[in-house]
Amino acid sequence: MTTSEALDTARGDSPLGTLTVIAWTIGPAGDVPATPFLMVYSLGDGRDGPEAGAAALRATLEDMDLPIGAAVVDLAEDRRAGIHLLVEARRAVLTLPFMSAQCPVPAEWEAAAHESGKVCLILPVTPWPLARPGEPVTEARLKVFVTDDEVVRNAAHLMVPVSRIRG
């Protein structure tokens, strides 16, 4: 697993608080190619506190018609959410209706994203205050958070098509 992260422009003075993007890959393993992941999470430092921030993020995702805790939505088949992902030059540029962020990604993550044509995007409502922007996130810490039952139940899970710049 490889991880990297980048800070979005949303900050603690918004109801959502600081939103951060982290990228990692799982695999490859045997005949299964590497799978690229992105996660947008809040630090829980919004102006009205972590509970209000979680409620605001849940409402935002529900307004986008994204199911929370349900099956994975493949945005290649369903573009209603207004989510776009450009992957070029070792950067993932993610655009959501409520934020835009650029996340540096390792070469193997970029290669996996281009090979599969999709990235697994996780949007947890549960804040993750321990994963501060600019600080390394270990594989163990990431695994504990993304596999926590509460986090899984309170997240939107999407497959986002990868766009590239055409020259």
Side-chain angles (χ1 to χ4, degrees):
M1 179 181 303
T2 305
T3 62
S4 63
E5 64 182 298
L7 179 66
D8 178 58
T9 56
R11 303 279 187 246
D13 60 344
S14 78
L16 300 177
T18 304
L19 298 175
T20 300
V21 179
I22 188 167
W24 74 94
T25 56
I26 296 178
D31 293 340
V32 179
T35 304
F37 287 83
L38 278 178
M39 180 170 63
V40 176
Y41 63 94
S42 172
L43 295 181
D45 61 352
R47 69 173 176 241
D48 300 320
E51 293 83 14
L57 186 53
R58 177 181 295 279
T60 298
L61 297 176
E62 289 172 349
D63 285 347
M64 294 168 59
D65 290 328
L66 297 177
I68 307 287
V72 176
V73 175
D74 187 344
L75 295 181
E77 299 171 7
D78 185 348
R79 292 296 221 161
R80 72 176 180 253
I83 297 172
H84 304 281
L85 177 63
L86 172 69
V87 178
E88 285 290 336
R90 299 202 36 204
R91 296 196 98 40
V93 181
L94 179 65
T95 304
L96 302 166
F98 58 94
M99 67 171 273
S100 293
Q102 288 191 36
C103 181
V105 295
E108 62 269 16
W109 189 97
E110 182 176 5
H114 288 161
E115 182 179 339
S116 70
K118 296 179 185 179
V119 169
C120 299
L121 175 62
I122 303 169
L123 300 160
V125 171
T126 306
W128 193 20
L130 300 177
R132 311 293 294 168
E135 295 178 12
V137 175
T138 65
E139 180 178 335
R141 280 180 55 199
L142 179 63
K143 187 175 183 179
V144 166
F145 184 76
V146 299
T147 61
D148 179 271
D149 288 341
E150 179 184 343
V151 173
V152 172
R153 272 193 319 273
N154 290 292
H157 304 271
L158 313 168
M159 294 300 293
V160 181
V162 171
S163 298
R164 297 180 77 170
I165 296 174
R166 308 257 189 263

